[in-house]
Amino acid sequence: MPEPREPEGAIAPTGMGGAMDLGASEAEALEHPSAASGGRTPGGPEGTGPQEKPRSLWSDAWRDLRRNPVFIIAGLVILFLVFISLWPGAITWMSPLNCDLAKAQQGSQPGHPFGFNGQGCDVYTRTVYGARTSVAVGVCATLGVALLGSVLGGLAGFFGGASDSVLSRITDIFFAIPVVLGGLVLLSVVTNNSIWPVIGFMVLLGWPQISRIARGSVITVKQNDYVHAARALGASSSRMLLRHILPNAVAPVIVVATIALGTYISLEATLSYLGVGLKPPSVSWGIDISAASPYIRNAPHALLWPSGALAITVLAFIMLGDAVRDALDPKLR
């Protein structure tokens, strides 16, 4: 008849032909080693569990951006600009085209905090509605430039050969054209009073910069081992471009495009100031700055507010681009 097992202990071999007494908890630990280690796999790093999923470049970048006060401030300013661009009536109740010559060049009044310009128009309302034009031109021009430049530069950098040489010579020709002078020549013959001729001009002269950035990034990425492995396994060119090269080469393009967005907003205001961009009755910060320049001594407020809004907008996008660059560049970590 077998002897009864004592509940408070157990016998375990010692590995040397003998045995030793163990408590109940120690015996359970031998049978279930993961329970004794707090759920960790033996040999794994403490507190990491069985496996820890590696973080990607984008997750690390987003984690750094959320902790960057420059990114937070710039993002809030840009969100506010987008909000008033989509719904300007939420913060102003007047029309930017309603003007009263009897109030021309008058200063701040109740209900009109920014005063009136030389035509008697409310400066506050025109400043708010001017954000819509500037943001629309900047975003559309940036998307067009990034798309065209990335496609041409990426294909040239991936395939190389004659296509790469031809694209390089074409970009050199476009780089030799002064932007403001080109705008004066090309837009002076345009009679369409909309934002699309201005956007088309910016895309025409802006894509070579993005193209050169994309070309260099693709050339760098395609030298990596995982691209060679994909080619050795028989992956097609389209699959290598879309699955392996594009996700790892797009970061420099995003950084340059974000900074360039503020530049395009400034360029639109410059062309409108010179009279070849947007024209009245369109509402633009450049138009208001041009109209207020002759009255800078009598009504400086008409020049101050649209100029300040333009400067803050351009600065916000430049700060956003710098923060994105710091987060996406591994060398700065």
Side-chain angles (χ1 to χ4, degrees):
M1 182 174 182
E3 297 181 359
R5 182 179 179 181
E6 298 182 3
E8 66 275 4
I11 304 300
T14 62
M16 296 183 294
M20 64 178 178
D21 293 337
L22 296 177
S25 59
E26 296 174 347
E28 183 179 359
L30 285 177
E31 296 178 1
H32 304 284
S34 60
S37 60
R40 299 188 304 270
T41 300
E46 183 177 358
T48 60
Q51 285 185 349
E52 183 178 0
K53 184 178 180 181
R55 294 192 300 264
S56 64
L57 172 65
W58 300 103
S59 62
D60 286 342
W62 176 240
R63 183 192 59 183
D64 294 341
L65 287 175
R66 288 181 298 176
R67 301 175 180 177
N68 191 343
V70 174
F71 172 78
I72 295 175
I73 295 174
L76 292 176
V77 173
I78 293 172
L79 287 178
F80 176 73
L81 290 171
V82 173
F83 173 76
I84 65 175
S85 299
L86 297 176
W87 300 285
I91 61 174
T92 181
W93 59 91
M94 297 183 60
S95 171
L97 302 179
N98 289 340
C99 305
D100 186 1
L101 287 175
K103 299 181 179 180
Q105 302 183 20
Q106 293 184 9
S108 176
Q109 298 179 5
H112 307 280
F114 293 176
F116 300 88
N117 62 9
Q119 300 297 324
C121 303
D122 184 63
V123 177
Y124 171 76
T125 303
R126 291 188 64 87
T127 302
V128 171
Y129 276 86
R132 170 182 290 181
T133 301
S134 298
V135 171
V137 170
V139 171
C140 293
T142 302
L143 291 177
V145 167
L147 181 61
L148 181 61
S150 298
V151 171
L152 295 179
L155 293 177
F158 181 76
F159 293 104
S163 61
D164 188 16
S165 300
V166 171
L167 181 68
S168 299
R169 302 292 77 78
I170 293 176
T171 54
D172 291 340
I173 294 174
F174 277 93
F175 276 127
I177 301 176
V179 177
V180 177
L181 180 60
L184 290 173
V185 173
L186 296 178
L187 295 178
S188 60
V189 298
V190 177
T191 59
N192 186 4
N193 189 26
S194 66
I195 65 175
W196 298 112
V198 179
I199 293 174
F201 162 74
M202 293 180 181
V203 173
L204 179 63
L205 294 187
W207 70 267
Q209 180 186 17
I210 298 294
S211 175
R212 182 161 291 183
I213 297 296
R215 172 183 175 273
S217 182
V218 169
I219 291 177
T220 301
V221 171
K222 77 175 185 179
Q223 305 299 326
N224 293 328
D225 293 337
Y226 55 85
V227 178
H228 293 303
R231 182 180 289 109
L233 293 174
S236 62
S237 298
S238 59
R239 180 177 178 83
M240 286 189 292
L241 277 171
L242 297 177
R243 296 292 300 274
H244 302 287
I245 295 180
L246 178 61
N248 296 283
V250 73
V253 175
I254 294 176
V255 173
V256 175
T258 305
I259 298 176
L261 200 156
T263 304
Y264 294 139
I265 293 176
S266 178
L267 179 59
E268 179 274 323
T270 302
L271 295 175
S272 299
Y273 178 87
L274 296 174
V276 296
L278 299 177
K279 304 175 181 63
S282 298
V283 181
S284 169
W285 289 334
I287 295 176
D288 290 350
I289 294 172
S290 177
S293 297
Y295 311 105
I296 186 173
R297 292 187 176 181
N298 299 329
H301 60 274
L303 179 65
L304 173 64
W305 292 110
S307 300
L310 175 64
I312 292 174
T313 301
V314 174
L315 180 61
F317 281 105
I318 292 177
M319 292 170 58
L320 181 70
D322 289 340
V324 173
R325 179 199 60 193
D326 295 341
L328 292 178
D329 192 352
K331 299 179 181 178
L332 301 178
R333 295 185 181 276

